[in-house]
């Protein structure tokens, strides 16, 4: 029976996310999920057996609810518990004089603590004041995101664990719940009994509990409180039926239960609704004003040991070293007093940073996107939050932020700036304000939420400017401003009003004139007025043109040529959080052009069904028809622009847009023309592998080439990308440090009945003989593969002998490259003989192996004596002529010159140079001599690059 009331506590759980997003974490050891209520005496009041049992059951009920995690917290691991370890936010005691002082115009600057008023701990809130007077009523206030709900949850759980011995009974009330009752009369005892059934038997004892009874009133701004006697009469009887707001007023007046203790939480704009004479202490929740608190928060969050485990036992968690590296880089960035330090002043943004890093560094749950993280973050902080408490002035706080902050964000994106002057901010906040009620809403927004979105710029050389708290929030709000249809030109605003007016008037006039025309010869007049009906259609086309222009702007932002050499958008996101290693740009240097590549990603993400549903909860609904028309306009532009060949990082950004959009049909239509997936050099993190697999894995058409060279792929990444690899004809996996473990996945790929791979390049991977044994199993059952490159894969003699023994089991291979594998004469000769007997093999490359002069001669003789079979390439020459494959060999060497062992490469190049010189001396053909001299020049140029003798 306590669940219906406590369900209303889900809004602080999910909006300001106690101990989570808005959350400050307060140190507490022990898990309340398994904690038993404290034993021993409960005090002098509740000593009877029935009272003791009622209190015990009440503690148990509160504990079971307040330890529940919102969905967004479950991503941090199955054993993650918010009450295991906490970090205290700073609570600064303030005075009524400070509260009466006029606030700054933009209310963005954080006021330093007053002298003589040290920060308060949670256990000190009800200590006597400076004059020694007992404190009965404490008001804690803070802007959105500072952690008010966290403190409520912490106090409740502490009491449940017996850590607040000053109070024998704690009763929390959600003011949102009380406001939902409206003016319907109820008594205090009825409210308690309905919501906390175990306390029904001890209601008579509560009247005499005195200060050992604590009421917690959370979110007082939800109630319209009137302390004037004419508005709210006096009531001292807890059994008397009055409006819930009247009960709260009389509790605060100390007219009802005058000795009870009361803790109130509220936003700054509602502090004045309680006369200061009824308040014993004011406390401002200042968040993490100390950088050390921010560091501690990140260490506790990011060092969860099992935050990457998935159902079914699959371990995809980051290693301890990787987690420590993330924490260290983040700590260094915080120590540098960068803008992120100012952002993490709000505990909620600390949560956002952790959630974003977790998203970027571990495989994401199905359906989770960057846009959904930001949308959920706003839901955790703004769900149910309203501006104004009266019925006439109520407005969703998030809708107001989208209209004002979204306008500022979009103007910044369109003019490519991230720094805003006070005039810029005021212009967007005050645009279109005409009435006193609108000014009042603006005042409330400034005091309660402006600091959540904007922060003073801390970079040198930019005094008096403001930035969005985190850079990505600007792009998110700009995208939200667009998809909500809040951006309207003057022509659109005026045209809509005129169209509606003309459409209504035209219908009425046409009817009247139609009747008159039957009596008078004025049949032409109705035709003229029928033309008025066309006006709304013309306006509809104008709106359609507007959507196309927005789509055009979004696509152009996504495919800007100036950004072609940037890192992909996910790496940019990580760098903005963790910082960039190396020297920082000097303040006097010209600033680089701002990049807004997340803006189109967020636009796509906000059009997804899941995010639209969450935005509707926030009071920002996006109509299905508008979403469909926007999606169609975007698709039209993407199909045109998507046919061009993009650099690897930009191609990944394009795929990430589709991942954010979460619409497989849309992506399949737009990407149907994609035939080459070139992601060379892109660091394929688990998230990026998930992005590529999700977007392209369900496609039907084959991919001519998938190039994943130098992508830092690991076996887990290969498994994630398997649906895409099965569609590839040419597959490049060079320079990825893929070892024997990855060869198991490659074997499964080759044996899959849907495998279409014809060319597989595995050069420069430590495959070794162990991996070769797995690859030959795949070759034996594969019918599609024709070209296989195992260049510089550490096979050695054992690996080549394995290939020689098993090569005959494959009937389709045409070309095999095992160059630079450290193999000797015997293994190379055995493989060459197997290649000559192979029915389809045409070319075997063995250069740069540890072959003696005699071994090279035996291989040449083998090629000269046998008819048919594979050609064996061991050098740049064939007899006294240049090999047909000399350019292929030298280009391969040039490409890998910096990654191979320079000493070994120099030795092999010198052997090739001597071989060329010998062949040139043995021929009299001037044409062959000229070809040999040309190749010698190429080899000498490579030797000079290595620092060896070029002549």
């Amino acid at each position: 029976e306590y669940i219906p009331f406590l369900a209303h506590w889900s809004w602080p759980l999910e909006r300001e996310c106690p101990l989570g997003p808005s959350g400050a974490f307060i140190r507490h050891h022990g898990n309340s999920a398994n904690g038993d209520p404290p034993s021993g005496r409960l005090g002098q009041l509740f000593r009877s057996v029935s009272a003791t049992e009622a209190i015990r059951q009440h503690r148990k009920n509160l504990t079971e609810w307040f330890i529940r995690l919102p969905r967004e917290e479950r991503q941090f691991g199955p054993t993650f518990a918010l009450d295991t370890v906490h970090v205290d936010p700073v609570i600064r005691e303030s005075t009524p004089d400070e509260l009466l002082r006029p606030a700054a115009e933009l209310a963005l600057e954080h006021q330093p603590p007053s002298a003589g008023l040290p920060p308060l701990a949670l256990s000190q809130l009800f200590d006597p004041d400076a004059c020694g007077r007992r404190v009965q009523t404490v008001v804690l206030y803070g802007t959105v995101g500072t952690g008010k709900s966290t403190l409520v949850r912490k106090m409740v759980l502490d009491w449940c664990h017996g850590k607040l011995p000053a109070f024998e009974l704690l009763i929390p009330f959600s003011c949102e719940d009380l406001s939902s009752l409206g003016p319907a009369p109820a008594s205090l005892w009825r409210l308690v009994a309905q919501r906390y059934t175990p306390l029904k038997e001890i209601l008579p004892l509560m009247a005499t509990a005195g200060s050992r009874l604590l009421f917690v009133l959370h979110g007082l701004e939800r109630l319209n409180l009137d302390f004037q006697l004419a508005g709210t009469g006096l009531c001292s009887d807890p059994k008397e039926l009055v409006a819930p707001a009247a009960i709260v007023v009389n509790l605060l007046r100390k007219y009802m239960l005058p000795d009870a203790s009361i803790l109130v939480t509220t936003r700054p704009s509602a502090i004045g609704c309680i006369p200061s004479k009824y308040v014993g202490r004011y406390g401002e929740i200042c968040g993490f004003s100390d950088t050390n608190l921010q560091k501690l928060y990140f260490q506790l969050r990011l060092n969860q040991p099992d935050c990457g485990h998935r159902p079914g036992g699959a371990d995809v968690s980051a290693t301890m070293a990787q987690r420590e590296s993330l924490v260290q880089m983040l700590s260094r960035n915080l120590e540098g007093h960068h803008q992120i330090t100012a952002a993490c002043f709000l505990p909620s943004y600390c949560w956002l940073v952790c959630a974003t890093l977790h998203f970027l560094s571990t495989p994401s749950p199905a359906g989770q996107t960057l846009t959904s993280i930001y949308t959920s973050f706003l839901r955790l902080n703004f769900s149910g939050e309203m501006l104004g408490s009266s019925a006439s002035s109520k407005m969703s706080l998030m809708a107001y932020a989208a209209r004002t902050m979204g306008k500022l964000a979009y103007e910044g994106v369109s003019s490519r700036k991230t720094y805003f002057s006070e005039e810029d901010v005021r212009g967007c906040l005050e645009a279109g304000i005409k009435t006193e009620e609108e000014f009042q809403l603006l005042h409330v927004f400034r005091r309660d939420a402006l600091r959540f979105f904007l922060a003073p710029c801390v970079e040198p050389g930019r005094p008096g400017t403001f930035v969005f708290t985190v850079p990505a929030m600007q792009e998110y709000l700009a995208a939200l401003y667009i998809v909500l249809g809040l951006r309207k030109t003057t022509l659109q605003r005026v045209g809509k009003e005129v169209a509606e007016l003309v459409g209504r008037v035209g219908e009425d006039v046409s009817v009247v004139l139609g009747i008159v025309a039957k009596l008078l010869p004025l049949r032409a007049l109705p035709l003229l007025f029928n033309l008025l009906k066309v006006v709304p259609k013309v306006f509809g086309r104008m709106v359609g043109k507007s959507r196309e222009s927005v789509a055009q702007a979004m696509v152009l932002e996504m495919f800007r040529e100036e950004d072609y050499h940037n890192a992909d958008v996910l790496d940019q996101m990580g760098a903005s959080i963790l910082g960039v290693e190396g020297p920082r740009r000097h303040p006097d240097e010209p600033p680089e052009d701002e990049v807004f590549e997340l803006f189109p990603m967020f636009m796509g993400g906000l059009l997804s069904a899941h995010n639209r549903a969450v935005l509707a909860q926030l009071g920002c609904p996006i109509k299905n028809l508008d979403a469909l028309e926007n999606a169609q306009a975007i698709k039209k532009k993407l199909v045109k622009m998507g046919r061009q060949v993009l650099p690897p990082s930009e191609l990944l950004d394009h795929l990430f847009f589709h991942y954010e959009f979460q619409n497989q049909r849309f992506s399949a239509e737009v990407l149907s023309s994609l035939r080459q997936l070139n992601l060379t050099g892109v660091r394929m993190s688990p998230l990026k592998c998930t992005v590529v697999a999700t977007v392209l894995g369900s496609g039907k058409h084959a991919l001519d080439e998938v190039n994943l060279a130098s992508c830092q792929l690991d076996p887990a990444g290969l498994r994630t990308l398997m649906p895409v690899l099965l569609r590839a004809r040419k597959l490049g996996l060079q320079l990825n440090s893929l070892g024997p473990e990855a060869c198991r996945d490659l074997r499964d790929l080759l044996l899959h009945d849907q495998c279409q791979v014809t060319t597989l390049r595995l050069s420069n991977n430590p495959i070794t003989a162990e991996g070769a044994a797995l690859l030959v199993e795949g070759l034996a059952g594969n019918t599609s593969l024709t070209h296989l490159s195992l260049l510089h894969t550490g096979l050695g003699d054992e690996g080549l002998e394995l290939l020689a023994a098993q090569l005959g089991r494959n009937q389709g291979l045409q070309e095999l490259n095992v160059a630079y594998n450290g193999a000797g004469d015997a293994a190379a000769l055995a493989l060459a003989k197997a290649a000559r007997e192979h029915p389809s093999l045409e070319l075997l490359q063995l250069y740069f192996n540890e072959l003696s002069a005699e071994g090279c001669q035996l291989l040449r003789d083998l090629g000269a004596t046998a008819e048919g079979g594979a050609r064996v390439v061991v050098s740049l020459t064939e007899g006294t002529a240049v090999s047909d494959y000399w350019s292929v060999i030298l280009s391969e060497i040039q490409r890998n010159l910096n990654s191979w062992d320079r000493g070994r490469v120099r030795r092999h190049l010198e052997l090739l140079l001597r071989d060329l010189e010998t062949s040139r001396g043995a021929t009299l053909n001037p044409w062959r001599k000229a070809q040999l001299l040309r190749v010698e020049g190429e080899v000498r140029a490579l030797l000079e690059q290595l620092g060896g003798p070029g002549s």
Side-chain angles (χ1 to χ4, degrees), residues 102 562 589 817:
E562 296 88 338
E589 293 180 14
N817 187 345

Side-chain angles (χ1 to χ4, degrees), residues 113-400:
S114 301
L117 293 176
L120 288 170
L122 191 60
S123 59
Q124 299 173 319
L125 292 178
F126 289 90
D127 287 355
D129 63 13
C131 299
R133 291 172 298 196
R134 183 162 64 96
V135 173
Q136 291 182 279
T137 302
V138 175
V139 174
L140 295 180
Y141 64 94
T143 60
V144 174
T146 50
K148 300 180 292 298
S149 301
T150 299
L151 291 180
V152 171
R153 176 190 285 255
K154 177 65 169 75
M155 178 165 274
V156 172
L157 289 176
D158 275 359
W159 180 79
C160 292
H161 296 142
K163 296 188 176 183
L164 293 176
F167 305 108
E168 291 186 38
L169 182 59
L170 183 147
I171 300 177
F173 279 111
S174 163
C175 292
E176 180 186 24
D177 175 62
L178 296 178
S179 68
S180 66
L181 300 176
S187 69
L188 177 60
W189 284 169
R190 179 186 291 182
L191 291 176
V192 173
Q194 286 177 344
R195 287 152 176 78
Y196 304 107
T197 306
L199 301 181
K200 187 181 298 184
E201 302 300 326
I202 62 172
L203 287 176
L205 297 176
M206 290 169 53
T208 58
S211 63
R212 300 180 70 79
L213 171 62
L214 174 63
F215 288 100
V216 178
L217 305 175
H218 181 51
L220 196 70
E221 69 276 356
R222 299 302 187 94
L223 292 172
N224 279 319
L225 301 184
D226 186 355
F227 280 82
Q228 295 183 2
L229 288 175
T232 305
L234 298 176
C235 175
S236 61
D237 186 1
K239 299 188 292 294
E240 184 177 342
L241 297 178
V242 293
I247 295 175
V248 173
V249 167
N250 282 287
L251 281 174
L252 292 171
R253 282 173 173 166
K254 293 302 177 185
Y255 199 77
M256 183 184 294
L257 302 181
D259 293 326
S261 301
I262 302 174
L263 175 69
V264 175
T265 67
T266 185
R267 298 201 306 246
S269 62
I271 299 174
C273 72
I274 307 177
S276 60
K277 63 182 178 181
Y278 298 130
V279 180
R281 174 172 285 131
Y282 290 98
E284 180 185 6
I285 305 173
C286 299
F288 294 159
S289 55
D290 185 354
T291 306
N292 290 324
L293 296 180
Q294 300 173 8
K295 292 181 183 178
L296 182 58
Y297 182 102
F298 293 131
Q299 289 170 0
L300 297 176
R301 279 277 172 163
L302 296 175
N303 279 327
Q304 289 298 311
D306 57 349
C307 64
H309 286 276
R310 292 286 178 266
D315 182 8
V316 294
S317 59
T319 65
M320 179 61 72
Q322 290 172 327
R323 291 194 294 266
E324 284 293 336
S325 176
L326 282 179
V327 172
Q328 289 175 7
M329 292 177 69
L330 192 52
S331 296
R332 284 197 297 269
N333 206 17
L334 291 171
E335 290 167 0
H337 302 289
H338 299 167
Q339 196 65 48
I340 189 175
T341 310
C344 292
F345 162 79
L346 292 174
S348 57
Y349 276 97
C350 291
W351 182 90
L352 180 62
V353 167
C354 287
T356 304
L357 282 179
H358 193 267
F359 172 73
L360 294 174
S361 58
T362 62
S364 59
Q368 187 184 54
T369 64
L370 185 63
T371 311
S372 70
I373 288 178
Y374 273 72
T375 306
S376 298
F377 168 68
L378 293 174
R379 182 180 67 84
L380 288 165
N381 285 278
F382 290 96
S383 179
E385 290 281 10
M386 308 297 289
L387 278 178
S389 53
S390 63
S392 60
S393 64
K394 270 191 176 181
M395 180 181 185
S396 163
L397 184 54
M398 190 61 232
Y400 192 91

Side-chain angles (χ1 to χ4, degrees), residues 834-951:
R836 298 292 294 183
E837 297 171 0
H838 195 277
S840 62
L841 196 64
E842 299 174 357
L843 179 64
L844 174 65
Q845 300 187 51
L846 285 166
Y847 61 89
F848 266 36
N849 279 293
E850 302 302 318
L851 304 176
S852 64
E854 294 78 9
C856 290
Q857 190 57 48
L858 285 173
L859 290 170
R860 290 193 183 98
D861 293 343
L862 180 65
T865 55
E867 296 182 1
R871 297 182 62 179
V872 181
V873 178
V874 295
S875 177
L876 297 176
T877 61
E878 294 180 5
T880 59
V882 173
S883 170
D884 293 340
Y885 301 97
W886 72 267
S887 60
V888 176
I889 295 172
L890 291 184
S891 62
E892 194 73 52
I893 295 171
Q894 177 70 60
R895 188 161 44 247
N896 297 283
L897 204 59
N898 294 324
S899 60
W900 288 354
D901 180 83
R902 301 175 74 85
R904 288 182 63 186
V905 174
R906 185 183 298 110
R907 179 165 54 84
H908 283 294
L909 285 175
E910 289 171 351
L911 290 174
L912 291 178
L913 185 60
R914 277 202 296 271
D915 191 29
L916 287 167
E917 291 172 345
T918 301
S919 298
R920 181 163 52 85
T923 182
L924 298 177
N925 188 321
W927 174 247
R928 288 185 177 180
K929 283 182 179 289
Q931 284 185 310
L932 290 165
L933 279 171
R934 178 189 173 190
V935 178
E936 285 179 38
E938 298 282 351
V939 174
R940 288 194 179 94
L942 291 174
L943 283 169
E944 287 179 354
Q945 291 183 42
L946 290 170
S951 59

Side-chain angles (χ1 to χ4, degrees), residues 811-833:
Q811 301 298 311
L813 201 61
Q814 298 176 10
E815 183 176 323
L816 177 62
N817 187 345
V818 289
Y820 198 12
N821 272 292
D825 294 347
L829 191 60
L831 182 58
K833 290 179 179 178

